Amino acid sequence: AVQAALRVVGDGHRAVLCSRREMQSKHFDLPVRWFDYRSSNKCLFDFYEEPLERRLEQIKRARDGGSVPPLYLRKVQKNRSRLECWVGDISYCPETKSTEPADAIAISYKGARHHFDNVILACGIKPDLTALPFLADLQKKWPIALHGGFPDLMEDLSWSPKQDHLYFVGAMAALRVGPDAGNLMGHRRAANIVANALDCRSWLDEKVLANPFQQLFDSDSDSDSNSDSDSQTDSEVLEE
């Protein structure tokens, strides 16, 4: 949302940036310990040790809502003359008054009506499977347990034992992957899990991970078989 607002201001327009709470400044969505190779494995170990209900608490505590990198927050402060910031809830006013422009979008904020040419929705998605129509249909057709809107997937990230051909990666797999399921690190771990479940790496056993000295053993067995056949032929000749 901040990047979109800065882009609008950069194009020479005025903008209003809306947030449900005061903007928090963080370099990353997660604490650094989840990224640090010296502590990330410990964080994951502690996460996997918890039951699913406690994992949900850890996810919320680790992510702690949205944040803005310090670089972009400084740009917001620098452009406050053309970029206004609202904190709180806003609502759309569908009815148009006769005194208002016909093509304006009416927004209510703190009891007052404001008019805009365009509204950009850049708030992401709610991490709730039932709030997404496509995923809600899956839940309706093949219901599984939910915890705080997150599906209780199988350990290999498949939907259920009966639907083992349907896998989940990304933020919705957070209960099995971890709080970083929506970040690149979590994507990589999830991809490894799914690849192993689909046996996508079986070709490695035959090529990349194959024993390079196997041909030596094969040649020895061939020579042994040849020697046996030669000796058998010699014995047949002697008998004649």
Side-chain angles (χ1 to χ4, degrees):
V2 171
Q3 291 174 318
L6 291 173
R7 173 62 185 272
V8 171
V9 172
D11 289 343
H13 307 287
R14 297 180 61 85
V16 174
L17 178 62
C18 302
S19 176
R20 291 188 178 91
R21 64 176 184 175
E22 293 289 343
M23 288 184 289
Q24 298 187 68
S25 178
K26 293 190 298 184
H27 286 284
F28 307 105
D29 294 336
L30 295 169
V32 177
R33 64 178 181 273
W34 286 93
F35 294 89
D36 192 340
Y37 71 93
R38 294 168 297 184
S39 56
S40 58
N41 287 337
K42 177 66 166 55
C43 291
L44 288 173
F45 177 82
D46 293 340
F47 178 80
Y48 294 144
E49 281 291 299
E50 297 285 358
L52 293 180
E53 295 78 7
R54 297 287 298 277
R55 291 185 190 184
L56 180 61
E57 297 176 6
Q58 279 206 39
I59 293 171
K60 294 180 178 179
R61 187 167 57 250
R63 301 200 69 87
D64 192 27
S67 60
V68 182
L71 171 65
Y72 292 108
L73 194 58
R74 287 194 294 268
K75 291 183 178 181
V76 169
Q77 299 297 335
K78 186 178 179 180
N79 290 276
R80 291 304 291 266
S81 59
R82 289 185 297 166
L83 178 57
E84 188 177 353
C85 295
W86 293 354
V87 178
D89 293 327
I90 64 172
S91 59
Y92 167 64
C93 304
E95 70 282 355
T96 302
K97 296 183 178 181
S98 58
T99 57
E100 296 176 342
D103 56 348
I105 302 173
I107 298 295
S108 175
Y109 174 65
K110 291 186 176 180
R113 291 170 68 98
H114 304 267
H115 303 93
F116 297 90
D117 297 321
N118 296 283
V119 174
I120 301 175
L121 302 178
C123 55
I125 63 171
K126 183 180 180 181
D128 184 357
L129 183 141
T130 60
L132 302 173
F134 173 71
L135 300 182
D137 288 343
L138 289 177
Q139 173 66 7
K140 186 181 299 183
K141 187 174 182 179
W142 301 308
I144 61 174
L146 299 177
H147 300 276
F150 293 95
D152 182 6
L153 303 172
M154 305 297 293
E155 290 188 0
D156 62 355
L157 303 185
S158 61
W159 181 260
S160 68
K162 293 183 178 180
Q163 281 74 40
D164 57 356
H165 56 287
L166 178 61
Y167 295 87
F168 267 65
V169 298
M172 282 299 162
L175 288 178
R176 292 296 181 185
V177 177
D180 60 345
N183 298 83
L184 291 177
M185 298 183 308
H187 291 170
R188 181 176 60 184
R189 287 203 310 278
N192 286 333
I193 294 173
V194 175
N196 290 334
L198 295 175
D199 201 21
C200 292
R201 296 179 174 178
S202 58
W203 63 274
L204 291 173
D205 296 331
E206 301 177 359
K207 296 182 180 181
V208 179
L209 300 180
N211 186 356
F213 301 102
Q214 185 62 40
Q215 293 183 352
L216 296 177
F217 298 105
D218 294 341
S219 61
D220 290 342
S221 60
D222 292 341
S223 60
D224 293 340
S225 61
N226 291 334
S227 300
D228 294 340
S229 61
D230 292 342
S231 60
Q232 183 177 0
T233 304
D234 293 340
S235 62
E236 291 178 355
V237 171
L238 290 174
E239 290 177 358
E240 291 177 355

